[in-house]
Amino acid sequence: MDPKLTEVAQLFERFKAAFVRNDFDTCSNFLSQLKVKLTEFRSLPPLFEDTPNAIRELTLARDIYEHAVVLSVKIEDQDAFERDFFQLKSYYTDARDRLPPSPQEYPILGLNLLRLLVQNRIAEFHTELELLSSAALENPCIKHAVELEQSFMEGAYNRVLSARQTVPHETYVYFMDLLAKTVRYFIAGCSEKAYDYLSIKDARQMLLFPSDRDLLAYVEEDHPEWEVKNDAVYFQKAKETAPCKEIPSLQLINQTLSYARELERIV
């Protein structure tokens, strides 16, 4: 075997050992070294040169980037996820005819769809869906993300939150927790505008919490401007502290009249 390929393979084994130990700082250090060493392989994207060890090099690089994507989820780094996913994606598309299928492909593609949904990048979500084959769309990991997006768009937030209990892969939990925070953020914003206060029972049901304790912890952590008293959650304080922008009505009227006079001159 080529000495460079052997060196990368051995370093990757050390990376995986650290990954199993949940030593993510060491993993990140090894990953940086691995990415540098991969640049020496001319068989990898974007060159795709037909070298003697091309298949081994492509397979090893794909495995490294798959682990890099999962590592970014473990350390909760969405920027790293996006970078590593786009580097990995070419192995799923451009190198598809040269490599055997990866068992991690559909879980990672579904994970990326979930990330786009969490970041409210719905147009990109649908663009990625259009690129998938009919077989991919039937995969449980992909279907999970698609059903989540449908529930989210329909406002069926209870289905979105309950979907956390049925994630098809352990790595999905991080993004599901972020999606739950997004859902509750929307509900909380609507509740503030629609009500002056809600009973703790109604607020708990509205925000889809299983217990009063979870609701109170959420209020304390995410909405300190809300006031809890007399078995109710009061939003009035939040409304009073919200900045109120004055509409410059006189200025708008003068501008409109000025535009009308200019139009008369032109005509």
Side-chain angles (χ1 to χ4, degrees):
M1 186 183 291
D2 179 62
K4 289 183 180 179
L5 185 57
T6 302
E7 183 183 3
V8 173
Q10 290 174 347
L11 183 58
F12 185 42
E13 289 301 318
R14 295 172 65 190
F15 169 93
K16 289 191 287 187
F19 191 87
V20 170
R21 299 195 306 269
N22 292 329
D23 186 357
F24 299 135
D25 289 337
T26 301
C27 285
S28 298
N29 183 35
F30 285 150
L31 182 60
S32 298
Q33 297 178 49
L34 285 166
K35 288 180 177 179
V36 172
K37 292 183 181 299
L38 288 178
T39 61
E40 300 176 12
F41 296 152
R42 299 184 66 82
S43 62
L44 305 185
L47 299 177
F48 286 114
E49 289 188 8
D50 192 14
T51 62
N53 293 308
I55 301 303
R56 288 180 178 178
E57 291 168 359
L58 284 166
T59 303
L60 180 59
R62 183 182 66 181
D63 201 4
I64 289 171
Y65 281 116
E66 285 178 340
H67 277 76
V69 168
V70 177
L71 175 63
S72 68
V73 175
K74 295 287 187 180
I75 62 176
E76 302 182 359
D77 188 339
Q78 294 186 50
D79 292 333
F81 181 101
E82 186 163 7
R83 289 193 303 271
D84 293 328
F85 175 79
F86 279 115
Q87 288 181 291
L88 172 63
K89 191 177 178 183
S90 62
Y91 294 87
Y92 292 154
T93 54
D94 302 328
R96 177 177 293 278
D97 296 334
R98 306 180 65 185
L99 296 176
S102 167
Q104 296 302 316
E105 180 175 355
Y106 291 148
I108 287 177
L109 290 176
L111 195 60
N112 181 57
L113 289 173
L114 190 54
R115 174 186 66 91
L116 293 174
L117 185 58
V118 166
Q119 296 176 351
N120 203 28
R121 294 159 64 174
I122 305 302
E124 293 173 64
F125 179 95
H126 287 284
T127 299
E128 291 294 324
L129 275 185
E130 291 294 326
L131 298 174
L132 297 178
S133 65
S134 56
L137 294 174
E138 291 301 315
N139 185 272
C141 293
I142 307 298
K143 290 177 72 173
H144 178 81
V146 172
E147 290 169 0
L148 270 176
E149 190 267 346
Q150 291 173 347
S151 298
F152 194 74
M153 293 299 104
E154 292 170 4
Y157 296 141
N158 58 327
R159 292 209 305 264
V160 174
L161 296 183
S162 62
R164 188 188 186 282
Q165 309 304 320
T166 58
V167 291
H169 199 271
E170 60 169 346
T171 54
Y172 284 44
V173 172
Y174 166 61
F175 284 119
M176 287 302 301
D177 288 342
L178 291 179
L179 189 60
K181 291 190 74 171
T182 301
V183 165
R184 290 194 172 102
Y185 175 81
F186 286 143
I187 297 174
C190 293
S191 299
E192 283 182 349
K193 291 176 174 59
Y195 305 100
D196 288 334
Y197 67 93
L198 285 170
S199 68
I200 287 180
K201 177 184 177 182
D202 290 340
R204 175 173 58 79
Q205 292 176 343
M206 186 85 70
L207 290 163
L208 306 171
F209 280 111
S211 69
D212 292 352
R213 179 182 297 177
D214 292 329
L215 169 67
L216 296 177
Y218 171 76
V219 171
E220 183 178 354
E221 182 177 348
D222 293 309
H223 291 280
E225 73 279 9
W226 292 357
E227 189 175 6
V228 179
K229 62 180 182 180
N230 302 327
D231 291 326
V233 179
Y234 286 80
F235 308 120
Q236 192 62 38
K237 184 179 177 183
K239 293 180 180 180
E240 290 171 355
T241 56
C244 207
K245 294 184 178 179
E246 183 180 346
I247 300 175
S249 54
L250 185 59
Q251 182 182 349
L252 290 173
I253 292 170
N254 287 333
Q255 286 180 350
T256 304
L257 292 174
S258 176
Y259 296 151
R261 285 195 295 269
E262 291 299 324
L263 283 173
E264 279 186 9
R265 290 176 185 173
I266 294 171
V267 175

